[in-house]
Amino acid sequence: MPEWLVLTLAMLAACSVVVVITLVRHRTAPDDEDPSETPDVIEYMTMWIGVVYAIVLGLAIAGVWEARSAAQDHVQAEAVALHEVSERVRVYPADVRDRIRDDVNAYVGHVVTKEWKHMTEHGEVTDRGTELLQRIRQDVTDYEPRSDFEAQAYQPLLDQVTAADQARNARSNSTGDTMPGVVWFGLLAGGVVTIGMVFALQIRRTARELILAGLFSALIAFLLFLIWDFDDPYSRGVTASTEPFLALFPQFMR
């Protein structure tokens, strides 16, 4: 099911629940009930519950967006490091240079065509990708420089391989959901309490009040969906992409 359809259904469901409860409450309310007699303390509590919940929602959105941005940074760092390895080996003999570049291309091709899909579906990187990166490390470390010029390039190459390995590990650790279950419980429970406090104000079924209550509940549904959509940096919504790899290794563009 498309995510836009899920969002639309969630917002419509939230609006419908609020409207239905309001209408049912209106029909079952005593004839002498006066909405203007809502105690001031209830209005005060409703205001502060809304403020606190808004802060919590803002922090949650900032957290998942930061996690998504960090995930994209990991991909960028990994792609740049591998590109540097591919470029810096130009000072090596042709056979060594070609072997290292072939292994780099094999690793990037695996990440772009196979590992990324596996990562989004299973929340983990592949063992094959780990083996291919290890092969690059062995290619670089096993070569013995034959001149001072090659020796000067040796350590920077090792540093770039290490940077690629670290970025890959960070990418692996950032797969899957970033929000703990207890936080989701608080967000959902807070949403129910916040919307529920609307009924404590004894709203009637006038068009203006129903529209405002419906829009309020739809907004909360939208924000919760936004958090869920950003919660997994590689699988849902505005995800981290393979664009850094494709930009530096254009031969793998489909």
Side-chain angles (χ1 to χ4, degrees), residues 85-215:
V85 171
S86 184
E87 292 297 321
R88 290 174 183 265
V89 294
R90 61 183 300 176
V91 302
Y92 282 5
D95 58 333
V96 178
R97 178 185 66 233
D98 293 342
R99 183 174 69 252
I100 294 177
R101 286 180 173 176
D102 289 343
D103 287 341
V104 169
N105 290 334
Y107 173 78
V108 173
H110 175 76
V111 170
V112 171
T113 60
K114 296 180 180 179
E115 184 172 78
W116 203 268
K117 182 179 179 181
H118 179 86
M119 187 174 61
T120 57
E121 293 178 352
H122 302 284
E124 61 181 8
V125 297
T126 61
D127 294 335
R128 177 59 177 167
T130 303
E131 294 174 1
L132 291 174
L133 184 59
Q134 182 62 27
R135 183 183 300 175
I136 297 174
R137 182 186 294 277
Q138 292 174 354
D139 290 341
V140 174
T141 57
D142 292 350
Y143 177 71
E144 183 178 351
R146 301 175 183 175
S147 65
D148 291 341
F149 188 43
E150 292 181 1
Q152 291 175 3
Y154 181 76
Q155 187 58 48
L157 276 171
L158 287 180
D159 293 340
Q160 293 300 325
V161 173
T162 300
D165 191 23
Q166 291 175 345
R168 174 182 172 81
N169 289 333
R171 173 164 62 87
S172 175
N173 293 332
S174 60
T175 57
D177 296 339
T178 58
M179 298 285 287
V182 65
V183 176
W184 272 114
F185 174 79
L187 290 173
L188 295 175
V192 172
V193 171
T194 302
I195 295 176
M197 289 301 294
V198 173
F199 302 106
L201 297 178
Q202 302 182 25
I203 62 174
R204 290 293 190 174
R205 63 174 182 177
T206 63
R208 180 178 60 182
E209 290 176 321
L210 287 178
I211 291 175
L212 289 176
L215 291 176

